[in-house]
Amino acid sequence: MLIDTYGRVATDLRVSLTDRCNLRCTYCMPEEGLQWLAKPDLLTDDEIVRLIGIAVTELGVTEVRFTGGEPLLRPGLVSIVERCAALAPRPKMSLTTNGVGLERTAGALRDAGLDRVNVSLDTLRPEVFQALTRRKRHGDVLRGLEAARAAGLTPVKVNAVLMPGLNEDEAPDLLAWALEHDYELRFIEQMPLDPQHGWKRDGMITAGDILASLRTRFTLAPEDDGERGSAPAERWLVDGGPARVGVIASVTRPFCRACDRTRLTADGQVRTCLFAREESDLRGALRSGAPDEEIARLWRVAMWGKKAGSGLDDPSFLQPDRPMSAIGG
Ligand code: SAM
Ligand code: SF4
């Protein structure tokens, strides 16, 4: 098991497949000038599959989420999914994507064994999409979402980040649209993971703001009686249900005490938290010929050092050096 000193057990592995992306969301990447990871430093497909195999067979991981950067940009994605689906025990597998190109690959991903997708879409307005992502790809994302549902990658979840002055007024419209299309919408509070280090607590749209805005048009009742387990999203039944909406309030209502995550970056570093400033290198061990048991041991040691919380509330909080796109969200 991957256990830490606070008794938390990690069963959910987030794997970043690349730090590159075809969008430039303002809260995640700079417009230009971000240094990409060097190609030789990236894990190969074989190395990724081997590490996931160790996590699943030796360390108790039951869920694997592929992310990035934009994971659809990884040429070997379908085959990585297929090979992970053949592991015993077979992990549950999902993908977090911006949806650009999903129209083409949703069927193949489903056939390879992917269970679900989360597609990020912050706005229904193409011009706001362009301001948020610095690219004109709104239509691609909408088509990707439809293709995911048609391929059976369900429930299709939609992740939305609200940014002041851009899409902060869109929460009710996004929810009405998600209900109409049978997507499960989750709002994510903006976190201090932008490369410009421009995040300000005072300026961010909080879970409280989002819920107040939604309640102008919908009735919301807590789904879980305040018990959300390790799920980061607090979920509300909309207008009596069964439809739901989630809010991931990493900043204002952190869920660190129930965290069950471990993360692997595209260059083979284990991170125990999005906000961690320390990483543990597995790539070096892999490439120096370490056996599976040794790699599993290094991963356990990394987990043992997991901090109690993100530290966001601490005045001495420092952003991690990597931006979100290079950590893997
Ligand atoms: N490119 C894919 C995508 O956009 O879904 C996967 C990687 S992206 C880093 C994963 C998720 O992190 C997205 O839903 C994105 O909106 C979210 N995200 C990125 N930067 C963020 C930030 N600073 N605060 C909150 N969420 C963020
Ligand atoms: Fe790319 Fe996803 Fe970051 Fe947007 S949030 S820049 S789509 S990695």
Side-chain angles (χ1 to χ4, degrees), residues 28-259:
C28 180
M29 285 177 103
E31 185 152 20
E32 51 191 29
L34 190 62
Q35 187 94 41
W36 304 122
L37 294 171
K39 196 116 196 257
D41 290 346
L42 294 178
L43 295 179
T44 63
D45 292 0
D46 286 349
E47 287 170 335
I48 288 173
V49 173
R50 181 168 168 214
L51 287 177
I52 295 174
I54 292 170
V56 167
T57 58
E58 313 243 345
L59 296 169
V61 163
T62 55
E63 291 202 44
V64 177
R65 176 180 299 268
F66 299 104
T67 182
E70 177 43 50
L72 292 179
L73 295 181
R74 175 113 191 174
L77 173 65
V78 171
S79 124
I80 291 172
V81 170
E82 197 165 34
R83 291 168 69 188
C84 291
L87 292 169
R90 179 194 184 287
K92 280 193 233 153
M93 284 184 291
S94 57
L95 176 78
T96 299
T97 170
N98 62 30
V100 175
L102 189 56
E103 188 183 11
R104 276 194 316 279
T105 41
L109 286 166
R110 178 73 198 169
D111 292 346
L114 191 75
D115 296 305
R116 272 199 331 92
V117 288
N118 283 38
V119 177
S120 303
L121 180 66
D122 304 328
T123 176
L124 300 174
R125 294 178 282 178
E127 68 286 0
V128 177
F129 183 89
Q130 198 181 335
L132 276 163
T133 66
R134 304 180 178 112
R135 297 289 186 270
K136 290 189 188 180
R137 308 302 293 266
H138 193 244
D140 294 88
V141 181
L142 295 179
R143 285 192 295 278
L145 271 161
E146 275 165 28
R149 194 185 41 208
L153 292 167
T154 51
V156 174
K157 297 191 182 176
V158 173
N159 291 353
V161 177
L162 296 183
M163 296 294 284
L166 282 169
N167 61 343
E168 65 185 304
D169 56 343
E170 269 197 79
D173 288 347
L174 278 164
L175 181 53
W177 164 84
L179 297 177
E180 188 189 328
H181 291 84
D182 205 16
Y183 303 139
E184 194 175 317
L185 180 65
R186 299 128 43 92
F187 291 96
I188 307 178
E189 280 183 343
Q190 190 204 352
M191 297 177 275
L193 292 167
D194 57 309
Q196 306 89 323
H197 291 214
W199 178 90
K200 286 198 185 64
R201 198 181 185 114
D202 299 346
M204 64 171 281
I205 312 294
T206 65
D209 299 332
I210 295 164
L211 292 169
S213 171
L214 291 175
R215 285 188 163 119
T216 61
R217 214 183 297 170
F218 303 94
T219 59
L220 303 180
E223 187 188 36
D224 325 311
D225 292 331
E227 266 305 316
R228 56 178 159 158
S230 62
E234 291 182 88
R235 299 206 293 189
W236 278 264
L237 292 175
V238 182
D239 291 341
R244 295 177 293 218
V245 63
V247 181
I248 303 179
S250 318
V251 179
T252 61
R253 302 184 201 180
F255 39 89
C256 305
R257 263 190 300 177
C259 180

